[in-house]
Amino acid sequence: MLSIDETQKLWQPLATKLVIPRDEASYQCLVDWLDRLIDEVGEDEAHPLASLMDLLGVLIEQYESDRVPELQN
């Protein structure tokens, strides 16, 4: 397990990028980042960035479920 000091050093470069989207701008940044990762990683579940794709997907999905109305049939 990482120490708090190690975690802080690793987190600092990502802290402003890997955020819970609270507005359209931060949501769009995550979507753009995920799109670039999909281009790089594809469907390779063993890729070192695959879990980051999963995490971004969860953040994006949550934002959409909270803010984007579902289409009615």
Side-chain angles (χ1 to χ4, degrees):
M1 178 175 270
L2 292 175
S3 71
I4 295 299
D5 288 339
E6 291 171 313
T7 302
Q8 185 173 347
K9 287 176 188 172
L10 293 170
W11 178 245
Q12 290 306 307
L14 292 174
T16 60
K17 307 282 189 245
L18 188 57
V19 298
I20 297 171
R22 304 203 187 280
D23 56 35
E24 185 66 26
S26 59
Y27 164 77
Q28 194 57 54
C29 285
L30 292 182
V31 169
D32 293 344
W33 192 7
L34 180 58
D35 287 344
R36 290 191 308 271
L37 284 168
I38 290 170
D39 289 343
E40 174 68 26
V41 174
E43 296 184 23
D44 181 2
E45 293 180 9
H47 192 285
L49 296 174
S51 62
L52 177 57
M53 280 180 35
D54 291 341
L55 181 57
L56 292 176
V58 167
L59 293 171
I60 290 166
E61 184 178 335
Q62 185 62 49
Y63 180 88
E64 290 174 346
S65 76
D66 289 347
R67 290 177 177 78
V68 178
E70 290 187 35
L71 296 175
Q72 300 282 328
N73 285 347

